[in-house]
Amino acid sequence: MKKQVGIEALAIAVPRRYVDIAELAQARGVDPAKYTAGLGAKEMAVPDPGEDSVALAATAASRLIQEQGVDPSRIGMLVVGTETGVDHAKPVASHVQGLLKLPRSMRTFDAQHACYGGTAGLMAASEWIASGAAAGRSAIVVCSDIARYGLNTPGEPTQGGGAVALLVSEQPDLLALDVGLNGACTIDVYDFWRPSGRREALVDGHYSISCYLDALSGAYRGWRERALAHEVVRWGDSLPSEQLARILYHVPFCKMARKAHTQLRLCDLEAAPATQNATAAEREEAAKSTASYDAQVASSLSVNARIGNVYTASLYLALTGLMSAEAAQLAGKRIGLLSYGSGCCSEFYSGVVGANAAQRIAKANVEGVLARRERVSVAEYERIMNLASDAPEQLTPAPGEFRLKEIRDHRRAYVGG
Ligand code: HMG
């Protein structure tokens, strides 16, 4: 029997503070509906300098190990997907290995390609396991990022921060991956970038949306070609994309998932034998189907709407949201996942939800993690944004959480755990 590989369990870490998105809109003199309905946001995580990508990654990985009863001696690979690492040479993964006192006998590295880095890490880990090279060992892949555009920028309401840690193994209780079906698409573009030394990303906002949709089309068509060849989906009464129970997207802001879903459907409608005689306008109208979006996408977005963009982790926050909402009824069903990283690279892949998914996600206590946060005013959010990144406030970490304490001689020291 073919080896099963995929995500066994997950854990999340989020900043301790957040701001209400409608309150931010009011402070900016913007109609709150633009942020709530136009972008689909509710709340935005506000990381302080003590909650850097290392601290968030270590907190998420530590929770994963504690909550899910992971035996650290079984971990052979630790990958951190991040585009907001803290050093040009020393990887976040090495900090996490040290802070969690994990065994030395593992491979550690960071994977960087904007928001795609986490998926790159997940694929490296799962294909390592599928190849047999892991010899029964598991991997931890942590997606950890701080999304930061700056005060009074168009990107401001799409900021956020956090981390999702994934346990990848031969016991994919959450999601068994369809290894070998993935479709990828790379296009060399400047849609979003962050030159070395800058804290804030530069972005060509509207162009970045069109790059995302373009790369999505390439990646999805690649997956569809293989999925059709393996008879995982077929042309028939329903479109191939409609044969996936749910579809998760990279979520820079929630409304993007709706645009992405429309584009995905358009890819199918353009190629479907049944719609060959339809006009382009008729296809575009059919692609916008609210019923399809409500059935296949909407239930995954509840966590993203309360956190904002978390770059590498955003797709995996959507997975967290979907599992929290529907793990039990989705057991045995196939879902699709679309990862996008600016620059750009996109990958579409699929997997089957495991029979134990509901038990696994319950252990992650997602609602408990979100409920512990504190709502802050816009003035307090602005104060935190203006703090120097190398001078963290001396706050006591909550039990099980890590914080940056200080940077001395370019060496970072953390407390907590
Ligand atoms: P903007 O130009 O200020 O907003 O910035 P807009 O004018 O495009 O309006 C946004 C939406 O609100 C529109 O909806 C408006 O119609 C609507 P749409 O037409 O697009 O469906 N709207 C309203 N709705 C209700 N009531 C109102 C109202 N007013 C307007 N009164 C933009 C938007 C997303 C460009 C900006 O926030 C930005 O630059 N964000 C950062 C870039 C980004 O998120 N890009 C997404 C694709 S690239 C990506 O995902 C990669 C990334 O995660 C990075 C990585 O890979 O590392 C970013």
Side-chain angles (χ1 to χ4, degrees), residues 31 33-34 37-39 83 114-116 149 154-155 157-158 191-192 203 205-206 208-209 212 250 252-253 255-256 259 309 311 340-342:
D31 178 357
K34 175 174 176 184
L39 296 175
E83 58 175 292
C115 301
Y116 171 70
Y149 296 94
T158 71
D191 62 330
F192 164 106
V203 62
H206 293 276
S208 73
I209 294 174
Y212 178 132
H250 167 57
F253 52 93
K255 181 78 162 294
M256 189 67 218
K259 293 177 192 290
N309 197 353
Y311 295 158
Y340 175 77
S342 285

Side-chain angles (χ1 to χ4, degrees), residues 13-58:
V14 296
R16 60 165 67 190
R17 293 178 277 211
Y18 72 92
V19 70
D20 180 80
I21 208 75
E23 202 181 318
L24 178 64
Q26 272 151 5
R28 297 291 175 257
V30 170
D31 178 357
K34 175 174 176 184
Y35 291 180
T36 54
L39 296 175
K42 286 194 174 109
E43 297 164 358
M44 186 177 89
V46 180
D48 70 73
E51 298 169 310
D52 66 4
S53 293
V54 170
L56 290 165

Side-chain angles (χ1 to χ4, degrees), residues 235-258:
W235 293 116
D237 293 340
S238 60
L239 300 171
S241 62
E242 289 170 342
Q243 292 156 40
L244 295 166
R246 302 287 180 274
I247 305 179
L248 305 179
Y249 295 96
H250 167 57
V251 190
F253 52 93
C254 288
K255 181 78 162 294
M256 189 67 218
R258 188 184 282 273

Side-chain angles (χ1 to χ4, degrees), residues 35-323:
Y35 291 180
T36 54
L39 296 175
K42 286 194 174 109
E43 297 164 358
M44 186 177 89
V46 180
D48 70 73
E51 298 169 310
D52 66 4
S53 293
V54 170
L56 290 165
T59 301
S62 169
R63 278 192 188 138
L64 180 74
I65 290 170
Q66 301 301 323
E67 293 164 351
Q68 307 284 345
V70 178
D71 173 0
S73 72
R74 304 290 307 151
I75 305 298
M77 186 189 280
L78 170 64
V79 192
V80 175
T82 185
E83 58 175 292
T84 49
V86 295
D87 191 282
H88 289 303
K90 183 174 166 57
V92 173
S94 66
H95 282 286
V96 175
Q97 185 268 346
L99 288 169
L100 272 55
K101 301 183 179 56
L102 296 175
R104 291 182 175 195
S105 53
M106 64 176 65
R107 218 176 244 172
T108 51
F109 61 94
D110 287 359
Q112 186 196 324
H113 183 149
C115 301
Y116 171 70
T119 300
L122 173 62
M123 294 312 156
S126 47
E127 289 164 13
W128 170 67
I129 294 168
S131 75
R137 289 170 297 166
S138 305
I140 291 178
V141 178
V142 193
C143 308
S144 182
D145 269 310
I146 311 291
R148 189 179 160 100
Y149 296 94
L151 301 174
N152 293 296
T153 60
E156 182 181 30
T158 71
Q159 298 176 129
V164 179
L166 308 171
L167 179 63
V168 186
S169 78
E170 290 180 33
Q171 192 192 315
D173 284 350
L174 269 189
L175 188 68
L177 302 182
D178 293 324
V179 176
L181 296 190
N182 299 24
C185 179
T186 289
I187 314 167
D188 177 12
V189 288
Y190 261 109
D191 62 330
F192 164 106
W193 65 108
R194 192 168 61 87
S196 301
R198 282 187 67 106
R199 240 178 135 186
E200 280 85 24
L202 300 172
V203 62
D204 189 342
H206 293 276
Y207 177 56
S208 73
I209 294 174
S210 68
C211 292
Y212 178 132
L213 298 178
D214 199 6
L216 171 155
S217 305
Y220 174 66
R221 288 192 188 109
W223 174 86
R224 188 181 63 196
E225 189 182 319
R226 290 179 193 89
L228 286 166
H230 286 81
E231 299 185 347
V232 165
V233 291
R234 48 198 59 80
W235 293 116
D237 293 340
S238 60
L239 300 171
S241 62
E242 289 170 342
Q243 292 156 40
L244 295 166
R246 302 287 180 274
I247 305 179
L248 305 179
Y249 295 96
H250 167 57
V251 190
F253 52 93
C254 288
K255 181 78 162 294
M256 189 67 218
R258 188 184 282 273
K259 293 177 192 290
H261 193 59
T262 298
Q263 181 69 20
L264 193 93
R265 287 177 57 75
L266 197 54
C267 288
D268 274 353
L269 289 159
E270 280 168 356
T275 49
Q276 283 309 298
N277 295 327
T279 64
E282 284 167 343
R283 283 195 206 111
E284 271 170 32
E285 204 43 47
K288 282 186 194 146
S289 163
T290 300
S292 165
Y293 171 82
D294 288 348
Q296 288 183 284
V297 185
S299 68
S300 62
L301 297 173
S302 59
V303 183
N304 298 85
R306 295 176 65 185
I307 302 293
N309 197 353
V310 194
Y311 295 158
T312 52
S314 291
L315 173 60
Y316 301 98
L317 277 188
L319 178 64
T320 305
L322 180 71
M323 290 297 137

